[in-house]
Amino acid sequence: MRRSGGRKRRLHFSKIYSFSCGRASLKEEHSQIGGPGFSRVVFCNEPDSFEAGIRNYADNYVSTTKYTVATFLPKSLFEQFRRVANFYFLITGILAFTPLAPYSAVSAIIPLIIVIGATMTKEGIEDWRRKQQDIEVNNRKVKVHKGSGEFDYTEWKNLRVGDIVRVEKDEFFPTDLLLLSSSYEDAICYVETMNLDGETNLKLKQALDVTSTIQEDTSISEFHATVKCEDPNANLYSFLGTMDFEKQQYPLSPQQLLLRDSKLRNTDYIYGVAIFTGVDTKVIQNSTPPPSKRSRVEKKMDKIIYLLFGVLFTLSSVGSIFFGIKTKDDLNNGIMKRWYLKPDDSTVFYDPKKAPIAAIYHFLTALMLYSYLIPISLYVSIEIVKVLQSVFINQDIHMYYEEADKPAHARTSNLNEELGQVDTILSDKTGTLTCNSMEFIKCSVAGTAYGRGFTEVERSMGRRNGSPVHEALIGKDDTAPIKGFNFKDERIMFGNWVNEPHGDLIQKFFRLLAVCHTAIPEVDEVTGKVMYEAESPDEAAFVIAAREVGFEFYKRTQTSISVRELDRASGQQVDRLYTLLNVLEFNSTRKRMSVIVRNEEGKVLLLCKGADNVMFERLAKNGREFEEETKEHLNGYADAGLRTLILAYRELQEDEYTEFNAKFIKAKNSISADREALIDEVTDNVEKDLILLGATAVEDKLQNGVPDCIDKLAQAGIKIWVLTGDKMETAINIGFACSLLRQGMTQIMINLESPEIKVLEKEGDKDAITKASRARVLHHIDKGKAQLTASSGGSEAFALIIDGKSLAYALEDDIKSLFLELAMGCASVICCRSSPKQKALVTRLVKSGTGKTTLAIGDGANDVGMLQEADIGIGISGVEGMQAVMSSDIAIAQFRYLERLLLVHGHWCYRRISSMICYFFYKNITFGLAVFLYEASTTFSGQPVYNDWFLSLYNVFFSSLPVVAMGVFDQDVSARFCLKFPLLYQEGVQNVLFSWRRIIGWMLNGLTSAVIIFFFCMKALQPCAFNPDGKTAGKDILGATMYTCTVWVVNLQMALAISYFTLIQHLFIWGSITLWYLFMLAYGAMSPTLSTNAYKVFVETLAPTPSFWLITLLVPISALLPYFTYSSLRMRFFPLYHKMIQWIRYEGRSNDPEFCDMVRQRSLRPTTVGFTARLAARTNKLRR
């Protein structure tokens, strides 16, 4: 199929200084090509050639699954049997087929098969869902050159290194491509890399001039070249290679590389050649294999299992020793003490002559008999509960994002309880905290503040202050929203600015916004509406603001900018042409951007916008008229979380400009190592003596509810770190916007911006640079720790802000512990310019260094490593990209849903799972120790007191369903109270509900219940006839009576432990008890061959006997009395925090604001971040 597509005749970006300086040349660094680390050779348009085939490069198939068809069975079985309890039951199941078994093999092995099978099925289903998502990505279609200029669609997974592909507008790049040409004459294209680095501003890429002539599909057939480049690596921002084309060699740079999962924007199409495919692509190189994550609760549960194994082996050893001694004395001078064991004619298991061997065999029998101390159904019950908890998370309407039709999605249920124990959150910024849009909201012109809109920060502060003014003003707004523009002020809008006292300065202010930029206008041919493509969201917001006020930038050529603006004199719209002379680009060192233009009157104007700390020092003495008022406004804007820039201008004389331009061109064309320094020196000399116009305030639009969410999480005692690829200034502004930073908070800045290091960089001595950089980072860390130490015990809050270069040194083995110690002492931590690898390394450092639960949240492919490294990975299912979601444990649509996910679902899941595990051990100790006590009373004869199937079905039918219901439905407090009292969350962080003290307490409760059940039943049935016929109670009657009492006790104990009853819980508790009676009837009615000693035991023996019913009434009451007494005393004198909240609700004080505030104050610490802490700090400042 042939598709040519017209070429867009637009700007030649290569002629704009800020773009052309990025072109590569054959420098020394390219001499590495062909050496170690630079051995990759790509034969363009020849993927089937012999040379390409022998290199055996990876295909383009990408997988995020944990298992494959081949590895599922062995790997999944390993996952199951690495759980020590499952491995133990496998051993006892095998031993059950030997004569040593005290019960039938079938009754032992079937429960294990059910448990393992159910868990493996659940794992398989979860991984199949991941597989389906992989299939969707790998089966996306892209046009690939098939030969003779024909392109056809093929799946991504089929791409090979060397393939030529055609990617069209708004499509993702299927692999790492080398750009050959595009629909633009200069072979440039716009690329959105939000999925990789989180940045929404479009990046400009440009192909080599020699390949830019490929204009149509048919041109491809004649194209053949060889690319030699670096081997696959994880560095997103570097690429080094050469292209051999038509017997010439051309240098390649990152300017020509299009990365997988980035998106083609505002370009009709591009041609590219596949350089790296599949696992070799940079985005996949930045990811790690999906780990098998286990929660801390589950790991601790294994330790409890080990403890119970210790108890089990101890009981078995004691019983076996006692049994060996007794067996040896069974036959003494012809006298048989235990005549019923026939010691004179017994098997080896009871032979007095071989007592040591008999003791060893008894030990193995005891291991099987007492195995009921270990809850076989614990794991499968927890799996069922976690899956059902995940369903509730998925179905929570409060975490459903209606605008995008996206609910929460728990992609794995293994970590539900971890959500209730999070100590530190590590968050991406762009797309996670923000919603990828900038809005022009306020400005200060000539000392007067304009703009009546309110930021998210101001709204939240207003709500907390109970201010009706803010909300009332917001409610009056009924105008249609304009993307990038949220400015409301009748003094400026609708041309009213001409009536302002400083109308001439307002005109210059908005004219500067309309002219000082590098944006490109796009005119909609249907509506005539002008849209803009800008290199940053800020610039787009500025030109949109200028347009809405009446200064519409509508056309750009390589040498001019056209603006349609309101003429003050005539009141009419007029077109003005500004000749573009120079663009002095923005960078993080200069912190400003300027253009030099010539207006229609022939005047040369320098228009400049930049950060306040560099702009104020460049003002002329006669240009500072409104400096104090502007600074005051800037402070207010910063407090409202806005990004600010200062606008200023000056008029250049003709000779002054001519001199500057000559120096500027000379500096640009310099090839010396200090080229950038020369350019900066020239621009510094012209960007001075400026006249202040005012300041802009742009809101880096946060997602709805982010500040409130952060505030609640901070009150819950959770630490929040921001790891972003953005520059430091942007990250700091967002920190203020979401109240991670506040005025008065001491900022500890760690960066490598020092004159000494700049000098070393010019000299190019890498060893000296490394040594100096390392020393500077250490100095900053030591200085920061000294500040923390000096203020210890005070109320001063600190924020740590570090850039990517410094972070590389801070993460070195001998420094990272010092860095972590400093970071943990700060209220906020912001890491800027972080690479994906650094994000993962920081996450690993926090996780391993603190030993506490970490949660990472992000939305882009650059966050994948961080999500997988953290204990819990939360993916934001944003508008673009699914890479983060596919690698996450839980996906949500908005950051604000994290509040409910952690404080409500996290708390509930942690409490439910913790209580459930404690109860499991309680009920099994109650059951297992009763078996031990009976065997002890029969001199450890190895016979169980219960029927085989009574033993097997206890954990499956008669005690498991109520605990599953508790794990799914129980609530200590409602969702509303979880959010009203965030400190409740600390019960999980401090592991209050699953501490060893609580676990041992439940075990002692089980021991008490077992002792009461056994001795009360034994004593009640022992001394007299059991029924009117004079029959005494045998093992069958005693066993059935004890079993009945046990079923009542453990189920009533569940009823006492539950805080929130539902119909299902009632059904399961009383249903389990009823089921036991029905089972006795049904099982007892079977033939004696099947029912053995349970044959009609209930109908003929137990039911007609009043003493049986009296025992089953009194024994449960006696067994539960100790727990009831302890709980009452604890509630009265030493209540836990959730018990206090329950009591508040019970007393009806939940709506008493003064009392609730008093309780909430316990969660507010001096170093807390968020709005509540900000208001508290401001109040304290006013009081002082």
Side-chain angles (χ1 to χ4, degrees), residues 71-85:
T71 63
F72 174 72
L73 193 60
K75 195 172 180 180
S76 183
L77 284 173
F78 171 76
E79 290 282 337
Q80 299 310 313
F81 287 115
R82 75 174 181 171
R83 291 170 168 171
V84 64

Side-chain angles (χ1 to χ4, degrees), residues 704-767:
N704 288 337
V706 165
D708 282 330
C709 176
I710 287 176
D711 186 43
K712 272 289 195 324
L713 296 175
Q715 287 187 58
I718 301 173
K719 304 175 189 70
I720 302 172
W721 293 31
V722 174
L723 311 179
T724 176
D726 275 351
K727 59 188 180 183
M728 188 172 283
E729 296 86 351
T730 306
I732 290 173
N733 282 322
I734 285 296
F736 278 105
C738 60
S739 288
L740 283 174
L741 303 177
R742 63 173 182 264
Q743 297 296 317
M745 181 181 277
T746 303
Q747 294 183 11
I748 300 173
M749 310 277 286
I750 302 180
N751 58 44
L752 300 179
E753 297 293 326
S754 72
E756 296 83 4
I757 293 177
K758 287 183 179 179
V759 170
L760 291 173
E761 287 175 345
K762 290 177 183 178
E763 294 173 355
D765 188 343
K766 292 184 178 180
D767 291 338

Side-chain angles (χ1 to χ4, degrees), residues 253-465:
S253 72
Q255 199 63 45
Q256 286 84 47
L257 192 65
L258 308 174
L259 300 180
R260 179 188 173 110
D261 279 340
S262 52
K263 198 173 195 178
L264 185 65
R265 291 288 199 187
N266 304 310
T267 310
D268 289 343
Y269 63 85
I270 63 98
Y271 291 106
V273 59
I275 298 294
F276 301 117
T277 51
V279 295
D280 290 342
T281 56
K282 289 183 179 288
V283 65
I284 303 300
Q285 288 279 311
N286 269 282
S287 65
T288 53
S292 296
K293 295 182 180 179
R294 299 183 72 209
S295 70
R296 280 170 167 73
V297 168
E298 189 172 337
K299 291 174 183 174
K300 190 169 186 176
M301 185 173 71
D302 283 348
K303 294 178 182 177
I304 303 171
I305 297 286
Y306 293 137
L307 174 64
L308 287 180
F309 273 121
V311 173
L312 172 62
F313 276 85
T314 302
L315 294 179
S316 300
S317 300
V318 170
S320 299
I321 293 169
F322 186 85
F323 176 78
I325 295 171
K326 279 288 185 182
T327 300
K328 187 175 181 180
D329 293 339
D330 266 350
L331 192 61
N332 190 7
N333 297 324
I335 301 172
M336 295 182 287
K337 292 186 177 180
R338 294 189 296 180
W339 54 268
Y340 49 88
L341 295 179
K342 297 181 180 180
D344 58 336
D345 184 26
S346 67
T347 62
V348 67
F349 304 118
Y350 301 101
D351 190 349
K353 298 174 183 177
K354 300 178 180 178
I357 296 175
I360 293 172
Y361 281 136
H362 181 275
F363 176 77
L364 296 176
T365 300
L367 285 181
M368 290 185 274
L369 187 59
Y370 304 153
S371 66
Y372 296 96
L373 284 170
I374 315 296
I376 188 172
S377 63
L378 172 60
Y379 286 115
V380 72
S381 297
I382 287 178
E383 297 288 355
I384 292 169
V385 164
K386 287 184 175 182
V387 168
L388 294 175
Q389 287 175 346
S390 298
V391 171
F392 283 130
I393 290 172
N394 297 345
Q395 298 294 324
D396 190 340
I397 193 67
H398 298 289
M399 294 195 295
Y400 170 67
Y401 188 43
E402 186 174 5
E403 186 177 317
D405 188 28
K406 289 183 178 176
H409 177 48
R411 301 182 69 251
T412 178
S413 57
N414 291 343
L415 305 169
N416 294 352
E417 66 272 26
E418 288 277 86
L419 293 171
Q421 296 183 279
V422 174
D423 178 74
T424 305
I425 293 174
L426 300 105
S427 174
D428 178 40
K429 184 192 76 68
T430 307
T432 303
L433 297 177
T434 64
C435 55
N436 302 324
S437 67
M438 302 284 188
E439 288 191 345
F440 186 92
I441 191 168
K442 297 175 187 287
C443 64
S444 169
V445 187
T448 303
Y450 296 100
R452 305 191 192 280
F454 294 99
T455 65
E456 184 72 23
V457 172
E458 290 173 310
R459 291 188 185 105
S460 291
M461 291 182 72
R463 284 195 296 271
R464 291 187 176 276
N465 279 325

Side-chain angles (χ1 to χ4, degrees), residues 614-627:
V614 297
M615 291 294 287
F616 281 126
E617 65 188 26
R618 298 182 176 279
L619 297 179
K621 289 184 179 180
N622 62 345
R624 299 176 178 269
E625 183 180 351
F626 311 108
E627 182 178 5

Side-chain angles (χ1 to χ4, degrees), residues 173 189-193 201-203 205 258 262-263 265:
F173 299 121
C189 69
Y190 292 97
V191 175
E192 183 185 87
T193 60
N201 52 303
L202 302 182
K203 310 292 192 304
K205 299 285 187 176
L258 308 174
S262 52
K263 198 173 195 178
R265 291 288 199 187

Side-chain angles (χ1 to χ4, degrees), residues 96-112:
F97 288 94
T98 69
L100 292 169
Y103 41 65
S104 65
V106 175
S107 66
I109 206 71
I110 284 180
L112 179 63

